[in-house]
Amino acid sequence: MGTVGWVMTNGKFVVRGTIRRREDRTAVAGLLVEAYDADLLLDDKLGSSVTDRHGTFRIPYQASDFRDLFDRRPDIYLVVRDREDRKLHSTRARVRVNAGR
């Protein structure tokens, strides 16, 4: 996995980053990256994006995609899948709690 960032622009949040091979740090195109908000009972899918030829992705979402009675900020993790929908990587064990803008 490469770099990941969280930002907010114009009232919308964005998860963005780059997927690279661990062995040689080259970019990986064509992977599906899904962003989720971790919750106690059911995780909310915030959105998804396919990596471009530079391995970069951008997933926009809004507060209404994760906010409920208790959530004010999302607890974000990512799942990366290949073209056959096989899970290649998940950051579920390392959730970004109360992700900022």
Side-chain angles (χ1 to χ4, degrees), residues 6 36-38 74-77 91-98:
W6 291 263
Y36 292 89
D37 171 42
D75 300 328
I76 296 178
Y77 70 93
T91 64
R92 183 66 171 95
R94 295 183 318 271
V95 171
R96 174 85 177 250
V97 177
N98 291 322

Side-chain angles (χ1 to χ4, degrees), residues 4-35:
V4 176
W6 291 263
V7 296
M8 185 178 111
T9 57
N10 300 327
K12 295 184 178 182
F13 295 84
V14 177
V15 176
R16 62 183 177 196
T18 305
I19 305 295
R20 300 183 184 279
R21 286 185 177 83
R22 181 178 297 155
E23 301 80 23
D24 59 8
R25 307 293 298 153
T26 57
V28 183
L31 297 178
L32 177 66
V33 182
E34 301 168 319

Side-chain angles (χ1 to χ4, degrees), residues 4 6 26 45 49 59 84 93 100:
V4 176
W6 291 263
T26 57
K45 185 173 181 180
S49 177
I59 304 171
E84 287 76 40

